Amino acid sequence: MHALNARGRRDILVVDDFTDGHKFRNLAEAQLADYLDHEEFRRALAQSSGWRGKLRIIYHLGACSDTTEWNGRYMMDANFAFSKAMLDGCETLGIPLVYASSAAVYGAHATCVESAECECPLNVYGYSKLLFDQHVRQRRTSLRIPVHRAALFQCLWSARTAQRTHGERGVSLQQAIA
């Protein structure tokens, strides 16, 4: 959102879960048009009629990224089901989706290549993100909207990081905003 503000954008609807009120710090210096709770947005997007013509793109960067969270039902709802709802809503509205993937889908795989052959999550967080990546790949040929996988990876892959290749097309968040 700060990058959008830097480009002069203020017509931003932020959707988040403020159950933990400390999260306000992420938005305190940002300029936005409105805020909506994530569950309220999920319900409203499923009905979509009120959003037609009001949304131009969805940057879906949210997720439960707590890699120590082992409540699989919660993680699958927050990271997989919610992401599918965003994709379906974008397709209904005819607007692009940019979503955040994660290096967690690759786990501790010995090869540092972004490709399906190297996917090996170590926890339910990585698995939930992997399932959405796979869901998008399965629907890719039938989608009627642009869908971009933002590779927001913070890799800790030692010296091999410099030799890392990108087999699957991903975009950086800066490329997606531009």
Side-chain angles (χ1 to χ4, degrees), residues 132-144:
F132 188 66
D133 282 349
Q134 290 174 340
H135 180 75
V136 170
R137 282 195 298 258
Q138 288 172 355
R139 289 182 59 184
R140 176 84 52 203
T141 58
S142 65
L143 288 170
R144 300 178 314 271

Side-chain angles (χ1 to χ4, degrees), residues 45-62:
L45 192 59
Q47 296 168 355
S48 75
S49 59
W51 295 105
R52 194 166 304 282
K54 294 181 181 177
L55 299 176
R56 293 180 29 199
I57 188 169
I58 290 182
Y59 295 98
H60 175 43
L61 307 178

Side-chain angles (χ1 to χ4, degrees), residues 24-81:
F24 87 93
R25 293 181 184 120
N26 295 330
L27 302 175
E29 296 179 17
Q31 296 180 23
L32 55 113
D34 206 352
Y35 167 85
L36 198 59
D37 179 78
H38 75 292
E39 286 300 326
E40 187 177 344
F41 182 70
R42 188 179 191 172
R43 285 188 297 273
L45 192 59
Q47 296 168 355
S48 75
S49 59
W51 295 105
R52 194 166 304 282
K54 294 181 181 177
L55 299 176
R56 293 180 29 199
I57 188 169
I58 290 182
Y59 295 98
H60 175 43
L61 307 178
C64 175
S65 59
D66 182 351
T67 58
T68 64
E69 175 63 65
W70 286 102
N71 181 334
R73 292 179 93 182
Y74 167 72
M75 192 66 77
M76 293 302 289
D77 183 62
N79 294 353
F80 182 55

Side-chain angles (χ1 to χ4, degrees), residues 67 102-104 106-110 112 122 152-162 164:
T67 58
S102 173
Y106 302 103
H109 197 280
C112 301
L122 298 176
L152 306 179
F153 298 167
Q154 297 176 354
C155 297
L156 302 175
W157 281 329
S158 68
R160 291 180 305 203
T161 302
R164 195 162 157 225

Side-chain angles (χ1 to χ4, degrees), residues 2 4 16 43 45 50 53-54 64 66 68 73 83-84 86 105 109 116-117 123 128-129 154 157 165 167 173:
H2 297 286
L4 290 169
D16 207 339
R43 285 188 297 273
L45 192 59
K54 294 181 181 177
C64 175
D66 182 351
T68 64
R73 292 179 93 182
S83 296
K84 288 193 315 181
M86 294 300 99
V105 302
H109 197 280
E117 300 79 38
N123 51 43
S128 67
K129 298 297 277 185
Q154 297 176 354
W157 281 329
T165 61
L173 185 55

